Amino acid sequence: MEKKYPRILFRKRLKDLRKDVEKIAQKTLETHKKSTNLLFDFDEKRKEEVVSASKEIDDMVFNLERKCISLIAAEQPVAKDLRFIEACIKVGSHLKRIGYLAADIAEYSENIKDEEIPKKPLEDLMHMADFVQMMLSKGIYSFLDQNIEMAKELRHDDDKVDDLFDQTLEHVTVSMFKDKEAINYLVNLLFIARFLERVADRAVSIADRTIFMITCEKP
């Protein structure tokens, strides 16, 4: 029984790592959703909450990385266990970056809060925001549940986001030609679309890391 005890403790520490990642992931999902809602219903207090949450996510990821490094040093894990711990560090890094992208979306939303956004670009952004939120959720849960089939879907989803970005670019450009005075605020829509595209890229990276963790093969 004494020989088994350290192994049981190690398994518990691995489960605790998963719980930590899940907690950070939930915070990131909520923060991203809150930031995209600001596009259509801006509120200064909620913007500050998003900015503050992005910093909290950073702190949470820092603590996660410390736990991971401590676990590697103490237990010297190999094979699947080592890949899981290493994936926790990588996924945490992606979640941190998504948190700051959510803060960027919140900041740029303030620049368009009093403007009358043309219908087409606004619809594009709404669709893109919802789709990226779905991708982010899918990427996170493919990792937490170690679901390789779900992880593989993300590459196809990313193509859809690229199409939505191109569509947004086209509609914003048309709106700029129609109203030259609107260029100063319409350019903010392009930045926001770009931030959403980068969140989608991070979701794909989480899925790719999941595939590597499970198969030990590069996607």
Side-chain angles (χ1 to χ4, degrees):
M1 194 67 181
E2 284 180 10
K3 286 182 181 176
K4 273 188 167 183
Y5 179 72
R7 195 69 190 159
I8 293 168
L9 189 60
F10 175 57
R11 287 283 149 216
K12 182 185 179 302
R13 291 179 76 181
L14 287 179
K15 282 182 183 174
D16 288 344
L17 271 190
R18 187 194 176 282
K19 286 178 187 172
D20 288 345
V21 174
E22 185 170 17
K23 201 179 290 183
I24 298 167
Q26 284 298 335
K27 183 88 175 169
T28 306
L29 278 169
E30 288 165 14
T31 303
H32 181 261
K33 183 64 178 169
K34 203 177 277 189
S35 75
T36 55
N37 286 343
L38 290 171
L39 283 168
F40 322 109
D41 182 22
F42 187 82
D43 177 83
E44 182 65 34
K45 184 169 177 283
R46 280 185 284 128
K47 184 203 96 168
E48 291 304 325
E49 286 173 1
V50 170
V51 173
S52 175
S54 70
K55 292 170 184 171
E56 283 178 46
I57 291 166
D58 193 335
D59 290 339
M60 291 166 83
V61 170
F62 177 74
N63 289 327
L64 173 73
E65 287 172 352
R66 281 204 314 183
K67 280 188 183 179
C68 289
I69 291 165
S70 171
L71 192 52
I72 290 169
E75 302 289 347
Q76 297 181 345
V78 295
K80 189 179 177 184
D81 292 335
L82 180 60
R83 291 200 303 275
F84 171 72
I85 297 168
E86 188 259 355
C88 287
I89 295 173
K90 291 283 188 183
V91 169
S93 175
H94 291 309
L95 294 174
K96 177 174 75 173
R97 192 70 209 109
I98 291 165
Y100 281 118
L101 285 166
D104 289 336
I105 291 169
E107 298 279 6
Y108 276 78
S109 296
E110 186 169 15
N111 298 338
I112 57 171
K113 64 178 180 177
D114 299 322
E115 307 294 348
E116 193 172 327
I117 308 299
K119 186 183 175 187
K120 282 285 186 186
L122 189 62
E123 285 177 352
D124 292 338
L125 274 184
M126 287 174 74
H127 191 184
M128 197 173 179
D130 287 343
F131 197 82
V132 170
Q133 182 76 14
M134 178 275 293
M135 278 184 71
L136 183 54
S137 180
K138 195 187 278 190
I140 285 167
Y141 283 99
S142 72
F143 173 74
L144 292 173
D145 299 335
Q146 298 196 16
N147 186 329
I148 196 166
E149 294 309 316
M150 189 187 288
K152 286 177 178 177
E153 291 173 12
L154 268 289
R155 283 275 168 196
H156 175 70
D157 293 339
D158 195 42
D159 291 339
K160 171 76 172 169
V161 171
D162 290 340
D163 291 341
L164 286 169
F165 178 81
D166 291 342
Q167 189 174 299
T168 304
L169 178 61
E170 183 185 333
H171 288 150
V172 169
T173 305
V174 169
S175 298
M176 284 176 170
F177 275 115
K178 283 181 180 175
D179 183 4
K180 297 281 194 297
E181 290 180 10
I183 289 174
N184 284 341
Y185 75 80
L186 284 175
V187 75
N188 289 287
L189 301 185
L190 296 180
F191 278 111
I192 291 166
R194 179 68 183 127
F195 296 145
L196 287 169
E197 188 184 37
R198 285 165 68 186
V199 171
D201 289 341
R202 295 281 171 170
V204 173
S205 295
I206 290 170
D208 285 350
R209 181 54 53 177
T210 301
I211 293 167
F212 176 77
M213 176 183 71
I214 297 168
T215 66
C216 202
E217 292 177 4
K218 190 177 178 182

